[in-house]
Amino acid sequence: MNTPLFPEYLLWVWFALTALSVAYVAWDLFTSTPEMKVMKYGWVLVTLYTGPVGLLIYWFSCREPAPGTHEQFVAPMWKQAVGSTIHCAAGDATGIIVAAAITGYFRLRMGVDIWVEYLAGFVFGLFIFQALFMKDMMRMSYGQALRESFLPEWMSMNAMMAGMLPTMVILMSRDMRAMEATSPWFWAVMSAATLVGVVVSYPVNYWLVKNQLKHGMGTERALGKGGASREEVSPAAPAGRPMAGMHHAAPADPAASLHAGHTMAASAHDMPGMAMGGGQQVSSGRKAVVTVLTLLMLAVGYWLAARYGDLSMRPGEPMMDMPGMAMPGHQM
């Protein structure tokens, strides 16, 4: 029996608010906030999945509050970690959602479905959102970028899936319509799962950014549109002076002068989350410990899914009696 998760009208209110949130975030990013291009797309995707919550996170962690202040605004470590988490969610959650739509179409059992989604999320996150971006930012080959990104992406993927897996399975076990991408309930569940995944994976991303194993929030003014060319960024530039590549010519009018005065010449060195390459300073033992912790997080997520959901279900089959759920003829 399908037991609606909440009144359907609330679902459509959420979708309407999500559309408005995505429109605002996209407009602000592409007209005002000088975030790097890959992160702009990442924010739009994550807001598409998380609606007004994504908008709030963007507002307090990334949106430039005044012209020329983005560098200072995103510099705190917690915001750098938010950037890494959003980048992780944009890649991993997109792969998971696309895979879930495909496995739903082929009516695979949930026990198979979740591992196809895990693999798709990891592949999409690693090969597209992590390696492609890191290749441009660190000026390395794609193969080298894949090698450098593999372990950090695997850690963050484990944490993301640790949150998304039980959320998807438990909610879909309650209403199996959510297993099919043609149902609005599918998108409601994916939204909830992405939100939980973001929360669960944030501490792992914080550790990765703090130890310079992943990038955090950036800015086009300091790092270029792709995350940049080192020739455009001079880490040794003195504070308060424009960096090479920032092209701040002498302004011709007072308004331009004021804007230029507010623009910080922040470098990758000034933003702790962007100063990648320090991963060599993290011992293999510490990396191994954190990797095992993320695998334990994933194992707990799987246990919750198996305990409170139905891993044997597939679209179109009768629902099994699950803990806390009513079946036809049973009382809630």
Side-chain angles (χ1 to χ4, degrees):
M1 182 177 68
N2 291 323
T3 305
L5 304 172
F6 40 77
E8 189 165 339
Y9 74 87
L10 290 179
L11 184 66
W12 294 105
V13 169
W14 175 261
F15 288 158
L17 292 174
T18 295
L20 292 173
S21 299
V22 171
Y24 175 80
V25 168
W27 172 79
D28 188 76
L29 278 166
F30 287 96
T31 62
S32 304
T33 297
E35 182 57 86
M36 290 174 296
K37 190 173 183 180
V38 68
M39 285 299 298
K40 290 180 179 181
Y41 290 118
W43 275 111
V44 171
L45 283 171
V46 173
T47 307
L48 180 64
Y49 307 149
T50 61
V53 178
L55 170 59
L56 286 174
I57 297 172
Y58 170 73
W59 185 281
F60 289 107
S61 68
C62 183
R63 177 183 175 272
E64 186 172 51
T69 62
H70 193 244
E71 291 81 4
Q72 303 109 306
F73 185 68
V74 303
M77 181 57 73
W78 76 266
K79 294 180 182 179
Q80 292 291 305
V82 167
S84 177
T85 306
I86 294 301
H87 194 256
C88 165
D92 299 347
T94 297
I96 289 169
I97 292 170
V98 170
I102 295 172
T103 55
Y105 176 80
F106 287 103
R107 302 191 180 282
L108 297 183
R109 291 193 181 279
M110 182 58 75
V112 175
D113 185 339
I114 56 175
W115 299 117
V116 174
E117 293 169 17
Y118 175 86
L119 179 61
F122 180 66
V123 167
F124 196 90
L126 175 63
F127 285 87
I128 299 177
F129 266 79
Q130 289 297 336
L132 278 180
F133 173 66
M134 189 172 178
K135 176 179 76 73
D136 291 336
M137 190 182 78
M138 303 303 291
R139 299 188 68 198
M140 58 178 62
S141 69
Y142 184 66
Q144 186 180 359
L146 283 174
R147 291 191 295 273
E148 294 287 336
S149 301
F150 182 87
L151 184 60
E153 170 59 21
W154 189 34
M155 292 179 186
S156 55
M157 176 63 201
N158 288 340
M160 179 66 64
M161 193 63 170
M164 292 189 69
L165 166 59
T167 307
M168 290 186 296
V169 174
I170 293 169
L171 293 181
M172 288 179 177
S173 298
R174 186 177 179 87
D175 188 343
M176 286 181 62
R177 292 175 298 177
M179 293 187 73
E180 302 181 61
T182 53
S183 167
W185 298 102
F186 172 89
W187 300 101
V189 166
M190 288 302 166
S191 180
T194 303
L195 282 168
V196 175
V198 165
V199 172
V200 173
S201 64
Y202 177 79
V204 173
N205 278 277
Y206 188 100
W207 184 86
L208 290 167
V209 173
K210 185 176 180 180
N211 288 278
Q212 299 177 14
L213 289 163
K214 283 188 73 179
H215 62 83
M217 210 85 77
T219 171
E220 288 181 348
R221 285 193 292 259
L223 297 169
K225 294 191 177 183
S229 157
R230 286 285 183 93
E231 291 136 4
E232 294 182 52
V233 181
S234 172
R241 285 177 49 193
M243 292 163 38
M246 293 187 67
H247 310 298
H248 288 301
D253 60 86
S257 178
L258 179 63
H259 176 75
H262 280 300
T263 302
M264 273 194 70
S267 69
H269 179 73
D270 298 320
M271 294 185 204
M274 299 310 297
M276 294 182 64
Q280 295 87 344
Q281 300 171 12
V282 182
S283 69
S284 298
R286 289 178 65 198
K287 291 178 184 177
V289 168
V290 176
T291 301
V292 170
L293 285 175
T294 65
L295 288 170
L296 288 174
M297 292 168 66
L298 182 59
V300 170
Y302 182 85
W303 178 83
L304 289 171
R307 175 67 179 82
Y308 297 104
D310 180 7
L311 293 176
S312 68
M313 66 180 176
R314 71 169 79 199
E317 286 190 348
M319 294 180 65
M320 296 182 66
D321 193 5
M322 300 304 303
M325 295 175 55
M327 295 299 294
H330 291 250
Q331 296 297 317
M332 287 289 284

